[in-house]
């Protein structure tokens, strides 16, 4: 990849982390929020090689962790999701999917991400209530899939 493409992708990623932190953190449904950074990383998996996606997932996840004071949780879960799903996402990106199929793919990826995030945060005892698990696994995954499906409908290839 060209250096200018990497700088451009990094700048877009930093902007998405800023939008996530400033705007989407306050747009919640029953305490759950959509993860725009995860959507960007999933999109990168359809366009870039695996090593690039792993590096971007690690950097953007760490930046998201530093802003939300969750040191390492987003970075670990996003990097693990990219490691596990990159080949699948890259292979299925060659097909034209309907919106409901995109919704299901994003829902599955968001659920996997949130499951890893919840398991690691439970191990570290970050959250004190059990409701966080339901909110994170069900509502946040669905909210992320809805936002991702909407972005897929209105996307412009960059």
């Amino acid at each position: 990849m060209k250096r200018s493409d990497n700088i451009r992708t990094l700048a877009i990623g930093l902007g998405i982390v800023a939008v996530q932190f400033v705007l989407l953190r306050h747009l919640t449904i029953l305490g759950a929020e959509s993860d725009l950074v995860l959507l960007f990383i999933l999109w990168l998996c359809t366009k870039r090689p695996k090593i690039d996606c792993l590096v971007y997932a690690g950097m953007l996840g760490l930046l998201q962790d530093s802003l939300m004071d969750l040191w390492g949780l987003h970075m670990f879960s996003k990097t693990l999701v990219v490691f596990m799903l990159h080949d699948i996402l890259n292979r299925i990106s060659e097909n034209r999917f309907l919106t409901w199929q995109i919704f299901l793919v994003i829902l599955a990826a968001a659920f996997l991400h949130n499951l890893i995030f919840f398991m690691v945060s439970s191990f570290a005892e970050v959250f004190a209530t059990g409701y966080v698990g339901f909110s994170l696994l069900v509502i946040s995954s669905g909210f992320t899939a809805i936002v991702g499906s909407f972005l897929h409908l209105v996307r412009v290839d960059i």
Side-chain angles (χ1 to χ4, degrees):
M1 297 262 60
K2 290 183 186 177
R3 184 176 179 175
S4 62
D5 287 342
N6 288 331
I7 292 172
R8 180 177 173 213
T9 303
L10 184 61
I12 292 170
L14 292 175
I16 287 176
V17 171
V19 168
Q20 175 75 38
F21 182 70
V22 172
L23 182 64
L24 293 181
R25 186 174 62 136
H26 301 291
L27 297 174
T28 61
I29 296 176
L30 298 174
E33 63 187 54
S34 177
D35 194 351
L36 195 60
V37 178
L38 178 65
L39 293 174
F40 178 67
I41 291 171
L42 292 176
W43 176 79
L44 277 180
C45 285
T46 64
K47 306 287 183 195
R48 297 286 184 112
K50 191 173 195 174
I51 190 70
D52 290 352
C53 294
L54 287 170
V55 169
Y56 285 122
M59 288 188 324
L60 297 177
L62 185 62
L63 181 61
Q64 189 177 11
D65 283 332
S66 67
L67 293 174
M68 295 182 182
D69 200 26
L70 294 171
W71 293 98
L73 295 178
H74 284 289
M75 182 183 72
F76 179 76
S77 57
K78 284 176 177 43
T79 306
L80 191 57
V81 165
V82 167
F83 186 76
M84 291 173 20
L85 296 181
H86 181 272
D87 295 332
I88 296 168
L89 291 171
N90 202 0
R91 203 171 320 126
I92 67 174
S93 70
E94 298 168 2
N95 301 329
R96 297 282 301 173
F97 281 126
L98 301 172
T99 304
W100 68 271
Q101 293 168 323
I102 295 293
F103 175 81
L104 290 179
V105 168
I106 294 172
L107 181 66
F111 184 80
L112 179 64
H113 169 268
N114 290 337
L115 181 66
I116 294 167
F117 183 85
F118 179 68
M119 288 173 32
V120 173
S121 65
S122 294
F123 181 71
E125 297 178 354
V126 173
F127 302 113
T129 65
Y131 173 74
V132 172
F134 173 77
S135 173
L136 189 65
L137 291 176
V138 177
I139 301 170
S140 181
S141 298
F143 194 20
T144 301
I146 290 170
V147 169
S149 299
F150 175 74
L151 290 176
H152 175 72
L153 286 174
V154 298
R155 78 179 189 279
V156 176
D157 289 332
I158 54 174

